[in-house]
Amino acid sequence: MSVSPSGDSPRILLCNDDGIHAPGIRSLATALDGVGELFVVAPTTEQSAVGHAITVRDPVRAHSIEFEVPSGPVPAWGVTGTPADSVKLACHQLLDAPPDLVVSGINQGPNTAVNVLYSGTVSAATEASILGLDAIAVSLCDWSAPQFEAAGRWARRIATWALGHGLPPGVLLNVNVPARPHEEIEGVALTRQARSRWEEGFDRRTDPADRPYYWLAGTFVNLDNGQKTDLSAIERGYVSVTPIQHDMTAYDAFDSLADGDWDVSFQDDATPEA
Ligand code: MN
């Protein structure tokens, strides 16, 4: 699972959750220009925080879109669905052969700690991983006035490395880049997700017809003082690379649950094949 077996230029599919017209995916494509043959399949509209949602009750449409990088035009489709829909549709319908690598981003805003679960950016890469493809999600930890240049350079470096080495089966890389100019980034760190949660409140407001509506608001709380976390890396000016997987089984919990009233005839101690 790395460079094309034929030795041809690797095929790289780009996706995101901010939508195909967002500046982040344009910066990503420009940054990866020359690394391989690029394809862009991404939601037509912003799909941030949709997580791993897929569309099953409505049709999904794809529209060809003009998309340029410095070396020329790139085949691109806008999809009327979610990030996960976009990757599925790209791999099953739009591309004539599967990509060697899927890169999702560059997201505007971090996807660290518990936010990985809500992220459409990460879910596009996770979907690729489920399909057996190597995948990377890239996010820039800046909401306000994102400068994607440094994040693009790191995306190129990490994507090139992944194409050369391949990733472990079932594992994707969640990359977060601190909001700093390239020369002020300290380096790159392999991290784990920090334990965290949102302390949430809803703003209760009233619409013009006097009916109440609610707007989710909250404060992010880091519950983890570890040094090897994604949040710690970003705070200290490092690019954070967290290997993640979609298998949510809590393998460490089996021992502590062993005394439960489970049917003992049901046994299989083999770990799942990738
Ligand atoms: Mn987003």
Side-chain angles (χ1 to χ4, degrees), residues 216-247:
L216 180 61
T219 308
F220 180 76
V221 185
N222 180 5
L223 302 169
D224 198 323
N225 55 18
Q227 294 293 297
K228 225 178 139 33
T229 68
D230 46 10
L231 294 177
S232 171
I234 295 301
E235 197 182 299
R236 290 186 284 156
Y238 286 82
V239 174
S240 166
V241 179
T242 310
I244 60 174
Q245 58 190 358
H246 64 270
D247 180 352

Side-chain angles (χ1 to χ4, degrees), residues 122-133:
V122 175
S123 288
T126 304
E127 184 60 38
S129 178
I130 291 169
L131 295 175
L133 305 168

Side-chain angles (χ1 to χ4, degrees), residues 17-18 46 48 107-108 121:
D17 77 357
D18 292 339
E46 187 183 343
S48 291
N107 189 61
Q108 180 172 347
T121 305

Side-chain angles (χ1 to χ4, degrees), residues 14 39 44 56 65 96 106 109 128 166 177:
L14 310 186
F39 304 86
T44 308
V56 293
I65 281 179
D96 53 12
I106 300 168
V177 179

